């Protein structure tokens, strides 16, 4: 027995949610990158000889995702859901260290916000695209 297809939400319901999730994912993406940059340049006890290597290692995944996140591509947002788990883990580990507690909790908050908003953006983009295909099929 096959399942019946769920009814798609209306475009009026989807568009504001897509816009909010897009802005929220952009804001949390750039805030996470800025947090990592400020922390490593100002507060982390990283030797100067290793500073650029540490920055490159931490920011490279975000830099690879940046064009797609800025462009609003749903596939990049779905990949961001996988990549941001690394930052969540780093934040949890930092939250247990009393000297890094604030950084850890900020990283946890930003990574969870990015994960949730990117996930919802991906889901609602897929529904929006399905609505477009349904409309094309019904007209033709």
């Amino acid at each position: 027995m096959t399942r019946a297809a769920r009814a798609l939400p209306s475009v009026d319901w989807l568009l504001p949610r897509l816009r909010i999730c897009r802005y929220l994912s952009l804001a949390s993406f750039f805030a996470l990158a800025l947090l990592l940059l400020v922390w490593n340049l100002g507060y982390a006890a990283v030797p100067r000889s290793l500073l650029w290597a540490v920055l490159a290692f931490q920011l490279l995944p975000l830099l690879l995702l940046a064009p797609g996140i800025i462009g609003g591509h749903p596939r990049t947002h779905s990949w961001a859901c996988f990549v941001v788990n690394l930052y969540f883990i780093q934040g949890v580990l930092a939250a247990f260290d009393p000297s890094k507690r604030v950084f850890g909790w900020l990283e946890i908050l930003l990574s969870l916000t990015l994960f949730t908003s990117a996930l919802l953006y991906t889901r609602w983009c897929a529904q929006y695209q399905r609505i477009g295909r349904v409309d094309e099929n019904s007209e033709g």
Side-chain angles (χ1 to χ4, degrees):
M1 181 182 268
T2 61
R3 290 187 200 174
R6 287 187 185 179
L8 293 171
S10 70
V11 173
D12 295 331
W13 186 88
L14 272 177
L15 286 178
R17 285 162 178 78
L18 272 172
R19 192 173 303 114
I20 288 170
C21 283
R22 170 134 169 76
Y23 292 143
L24 197 56
S25 64
L26 275 171
S28 57
F29 179 81
F30 286 117
L32 182 61
L34 184 66
L35 175 70
L36 291 169
L37 190 65
V38 168
W39 176 258
N40 285 311
L41 289 177
Y43 299 103
V46 178
R48 290 289 174 199
S49 59
L50 295 177
L51 178 64
W52 296 109
V54 169
L55 275 174
F57 187 74
Q58 286 188 347
L59 292 176
L60 185 63
L62 293 178
L63 289 174
L64 292 174
L65 293 172
I69 294 286
I70 293 169
H73 302 292
R75 184 173 285 178
T76 307
H77 281 78
S78 65
W79 274 103
C81 291
F82 294 110
V83 171
V84 77
N85 289 322
L86 299 170
Y87 298 102
F88 176 78
I89 293 168
Q90 179 182 350
V92 169
L93 293 174
F96 282 104
D97 185 356
S99 65
K100 299 178 185 178
R101 185 166 289 147
V102 174
F103 166 73
W105 281 107
L106 284 173
E107 193 170 19
I108 290 170
L109 177 70
L110 289 172
S111 62
L112 283 176
T113 305
L114 178 57
F115 179 84
T116 306
S117 60
L119 183 70
L120 290 173
Y121 181 78
T122 303
R123 177 188 171 123
W124 288 334
C125 273
Q127 289 178 345
Y128 185 72
Q129 290 169 352
R130 282 180 40 211
I131 289 172
R133 277 187 254 133
V134 168
D135 290 344
E136 288 175 4
N137 291 338
S138 64
E139 290 176 2

